[in-house]
Amino acid sequence: MNAPVRAYVGLGANLGDAAGTLHTVLRELAATPGIQGCQASGFYRTAPVDAGGPDFINAVAALDTTLAPLALLDVLQALEARHGRQRPYRNAPRTLDLDLLMHGDTAMQSERLTLPHPRMHQRAFVLAPLQELTPALVLPQGPLPTLLAALTDQPIERL
């Protein structure tokens, strides 16, 4: 059996009971075989980035997992589908959005998955909860406080 690695998952929703959906999904992640030690940041309210629609509720979860990156992605996409995620167009409002941000120190680029997530350093709604969970984490683009300081044009409110 593989040793667990630390993975980070971004969670967001802006349709329906967004906060309720995130609470439910965090419980479902924690109960998934191959995932243990699911820890979540607080919830944050943010305006959509590159999209319209209602404000998002966002969080980040830190997971210890023995699942390979694509197997974990399959779990995340199955959870999105179970919670009514539809993809009518790019950046459409959504009942649930789960993004695999990092999977240990895995670096990969495939048609289905790029790790680390290629745009997380440009998103306050990822960096603020990530910093809450793991303040000393350094992304390839730099330390979290430095990256977050460059995104003052993205208002974010901790709930």
Side-chain angles (χ1 to χ4, degrees):
M1 185 164 175
N2 295 336
V5 299
R6 176 58 53 107
Y8 295 94
V9 175
L11 299 89
N14 71 337
L15 293 178
D17 177 8
T21 298
L22 296 190
H23 281 295
T24 299
V25 167
L26 287 165
R27 285 191 303 274
E28 291 171 338
L29 279 170
T32 299
I35 293 176
Q36 54 276 84
C38 180
Q39 178 187 9
S41 70
F43 288 4
Y44 292 79
R45 180 187 321 277
T46 60
V49 174
D50 300 332
D55 284 353
F56 273 86
I57 305 299
N58 293 101
V60 168
L63 315 170
D64 294 321
T65 183
T66 55
L67 298 173
L70 289 174
L72 182 53
L73 180 65
D74 289 341
V75 166
L76 299 178
Q77 290 179 339
L79 284 168
E80 286 178 336
R82 187 178 318 146
H83 287 276
R85 169 75 188 265
Q86 297 181 2
R87 301 171 191 271
Y89 54 90
R90 183 171 165 76
N91 295 329
R94 54 206 72 154
T95 55
L96 180 62
D97 185 26
L98 299 173
D99 289 324
L100 183 53
L101 303 172
M102 298 175 72
H103 185 281
D105 55 10
T106 301
M108 68 180 283
Q109 188 163 2
S110 74
E111 195 173 295
R112 290 191 62 211
L113 181 62
T114 300
L115 288 173
H117 190 288
R119 291 175 304 284
M120 70 176 161
H121 68 285
Q122 302 168 336
R123 307 285 197 244
F125 65 81
V126 170
L127 298 179
L130 200 52
Q131 180 175 276
E132 178 188 327
L133 277 175
T134 314
L137 185 67
V138 177
L139 300 183
Q141 298 83 4
L144 296 176
T146 303
L147 296 171
L148 200 50
L151 301 177
T152 55
D153 61 327
Q154 295 179 29
I156 184 166
E157 173 194 2
R158 191 174 192 293
L159 301 177

